[in-house]
Amino acid sequence: MIPKAWLSAALAVVFCVATLHPAHAQREMGTFFGIAGEMIRLGVQNDQIKRQQSQQAQQQRAAEDAQRAAQQAAEFEFYSRAQAALKSLGYYDMTVDGATGPGTRAAIAGYQEAFRLSGVFGEQALYQLEWFASEGWRSLAEMEAAEAGGFSSRDDFARASEAGFLNADHYAAAAAQGFDDAAEYDAFVVSGAPDKSSFEAAQRQLAAANAAIDACLAATQAKDWGAALAPCYAAAKAKSGDVGAQLALEAVLGGAQTALVQDQAELAEKS
């Protein structure tokens, strides 16, 4: 495109040359048109350069915008994954939003401290975090304790620890017999019962005997011999080798016998 200023100047020159002598005018016109043609060529070339520069600038801005968008998307995905993994391990309790706010930074710091890690939290660190999250490990100390106890699974380690088992062998032996509580399993081992059902039957009998003893003692202390007879007999029968149960039964029988004699005497006096 030819600038308007150049066109105005060209028209002015043509007008001036037209007033000259024909021979001079022809010569001057040739010179003028040569200059004008060069001016037009330079103008067109200059416009092309400007258009190219404008297009290049637009392409550069578009490329930079696309790069920023890609970087923001990658950052959003990176921190969303980190927040999700940290949340599953209990280090992050906020919304998973992909933002790098103080809550996310504090969660990363707490996680790194628990696993004795340092350095920049980059892609490799994220992969490691996600592995810990998939396995469920909460800290390096927990992993070390599990390894020392012979556990390879965090779930087994957590269940065993909560139930009071000492190590993986202890836990596995109890599980093989159907027990999920260490104290109950240890009582089963001490009892010498052949299996869990036999042990539980014996435990029920023991509980019933203890309840009978409690009822026997309460009725004996109240000297309610009639109420004491049944539980004291049941206690003595359930614990035939228990001297205390046998003595309690004898005391109840003696008390009941004395009470019967007294009742008979009172009845005779009234009659």
Side-chain angles (χ1 to χ4, degrees), residues 197-213 234-235 237-239:
S197 60
S198 300
F199 170 74
E200 290 178 339
Q203 289 296 102
R204 288 192 294 270
Q205 291 176 356
L206 179 61
N210 289 333
I213 289 173
K237 182 178 179 181
K239 294 193 172 186

Side-chain angles (χ1 to χ4, degrees), residues 8-220:
S8 299
L11 291 173
V13 171
V14 170
F15 175 77
C16 292
V17 171
T19 62
L20 299 176
H21 188 275
H24 288 87
Q26 185 176 7
R27 186 173 59 252
E28 294 298 329
M29 286 291 288
T31 302
F32 166 74
F33 282 115
I35 295 172
E38 182 63 18
M39 291 174 63
I40 292 171
R41 186 187 66 79
L42 291 174
V44 171
Q45 186 178 13
N46 186 55
D47 286 346
Q48 290 176 342
I49 291 172
K50 287 182 177 180
R51 283 195 298 271
Q52 290 175 352
Q53 289 176 340
S54 177
Q55 290 174 353
Q56 289 173 352
Q58 290 176 355
Q59 292 172 352
Q60 179 67 24
R61 286 194 296 271
E64 291 174 354
D65 290 343
Q67 184 177 7
R68 278 194 297 272
Q71 184 175 355
Q72 290 172 353
E75 185 174 312
F76 174 82
E77 180 186 4
F78 179 88
Y79 283 103
S80 293
R81 287 166 55 191
Q83 289 170 341
L86 290 165
K87 194 165 191 172
S88 72
L89 294 179
Y91 291 101
Y92 183 74
D93 59 0
M94 302 171 70
T95 302
V96 176
D97 57 7
T100 58
T104 301
R105 293 193 294 272
I108 291 174
Y111 153 75
Q112 289 181 319
E113 181 180 0
F115 283 89
R116 302 172 204 162
L117 301 171
S118 60
V120 177
F121 187 76
E123 283 292 338
Q124 287 300 119
L126 176 60
Y127 293 145
Q128 188 176 33
L129 165 62
E130 290 180 322
W131 181 83
F132 286 137
S134 68
E135 296 295 316
W137 299 111
R138 266 51 173 180
S139 67
L140 187 61
E142 184 181 58
M143 292 179 66
E144 291 172 343
E147 183 178 0
F151 292 96
S152 58
S153 164
R154 198 267 173 184
D155 289 340
D156 287 345
F157 172 72
R159 283 193 293 266
S161 298
E162 185 177 353
F165 290 99
L166 301 175
N167 51 51
D169 291 339
H170 191 200
Y171 177 68
Q177 293 292 339
F179 291 92
D180 56 9
D181 180 81
E184 188 179 16
Y185 172 69
D186 291 342
F188 161 74
V189 173
V190 171
S191 73
D195 52 46
K196 184 180 180 180
S197 60
S198 300
F199 170 74
E200 290 178 339
Q203 289 296 102
R204 288 192 294 270
Q205 291 176 356
L206 179 61
N210 289 333
I213 289 173
D214 291 341
C216 172
L217 291 176
T220 301

